[in-house]
Amino acid sequence: MEKSWMLWTFVKRWLLALASWSWSLCRICLLPLIVTFHLYGGIILLILIFVSIAGILYKFQDVLLYFPEQPSSSRLYVPMPTGIPHENIFIKTKDGVLLNLILLRYTGDNAAYSPTIIYFHGNAGNIGHRLPNALLMLVNLKVNLILVDYRGYGKSEGEASEEGLYLDSEAVLDYVMTRSDLDKTKIFLFGRSLGGAVAIHLASENSHRISAIVVENTFLSIPYMASTLFSFFPMRYLPLWCYKNKFLSYRKISQCRMPSLFISGLSDQ
């Protein structure tokens, strides 16, 4: 039974690698395929052209969702707080990606019992751009804050992806649990826009470790956002496997058993 399972795993990986290679080859050869089809026709060439276009659109989804280089200096310069107790931290995820975090420390009365907020930002810029907002939370809420740059953002390594961002969030929570100077019974999640989807996923998988979540102007899912933004296309009829990034928060939110605050601004563009 074990040998059969191992064989199937090997065959599955081989088929996926072959499909990925073939898809990449078709994307590279799109122009020659179109020229050859124009000259000679053929149903097989037409199918290959459609596969090439589908591959390009599939990969292009990341360009529409992740903006780690907006503004243009975001991958080169991450602003750091001044005059505030903080730590610039690097941790590794389960798949070996190095992430950059900033820990802002509250040093007022009863600081040892202060809650800790893990801050998941939106799809552009880096954690340094969120410092003004984070400092307001630090002063007014009297909490510690950990700001997370996802893989491919700021000084973090790697390339952004849905599964990658989930691994990033798990790594940050695991790191918080190793800190003896942070109260592990008061861990809160804050997520804005894309960060809301990351926060909801993390909370749904760790309801026993998360005290509460706050999400601001987040979304139900990427397919829902696509059908809203591109209403002139029949996006709502596309199957889920057409989407490289799904972020199905509307399914996962039912697994979040902790107190939750949803903030929404109708003028958000």
Side-chain angles (χ1 to χ4, degrees), residues 114-134:
S114 295
T116 298
I117 295 178
I118 303 177
Y119 190 119
F120 297 107
H121 63 72
N123 65 342
N126 60 48
I127 48 179
H129 301 139
R130 276 73 187 188
L131 284 176
N133 181 220

Side-chain angles (χ1 to χ4, degrees), residues 4-37:
S4 175
W5 179 82
M6 290 177 64
L7 177 63
W8 166 244
T9 302
F10 173 78
V11 171
K12 183 180 178 181
R13 288 180 179 176
W14 185 83
L15 289 174
L16 286 173
L18 179 63
S20 177
W21 178 83
S22 302
W23 206 339
S24 299
L25 182 63
C26 285
R27 296 203 313 271
I28 295 169
C29 301
L30 179 58
L31 183 58
L33 284 172
I34 293 174
V35 172
T36 307
F37 175 76

Side-chain angles (χ1 to χ4, degrees), residues 158-170:
E159 186 176 342
S161 68
E162 180 177 3
E163 289 304 318
L165 266 60
Y166 292 160
L167 287 173
D168 297 347
S169 66
E170 290 283 354

Side-chain angles (χ1 to χ4, degrees), residues 88-99:
N88 189 27
I89 303 163
F90 288 89
I91 64 171
K92 275 200 172 183
T93 63
K94 289 180 180 178
D95 58 343
V97 176
L98 199 65
L99 300 181

Side-chain angles (χ1 to χ4, degrees), residues 23 37 50 98 115 124 164 197 204 218 241 263:
W23 206 339
F37 175 76
F50 279 121
L98 199 65
S204 69
T218 189
W241 55 263
I263 304 171

Side-chain angles (χ1 to χ4, degrees), residues 60-79:
F60 190 68
Q61 292 180 41
D62 285 348
V63 178
L64 294 174
L65 182 57
Y66 306 113
F67 299 94
E69 297 182 0
Q70 288 189 7
S72 57
S73 61
S74 295
R75 291 287 281 157
L76 301 173
Y77 174 65
V78 177

Side-chain angles (χ1 to χ4, degrees), residues 10 32 38 50 70 83 102 122 158 164 166 174 179 191 206 216 233 267:
F10 173 78
H38 178 72
F50 279 121
Q70 288 189 7
I102 295 177
Y166 292 160
D174 290 341
R179 298 277 305 224
N206 297 272
E216 178 186 337
F233 288 127
S267 296

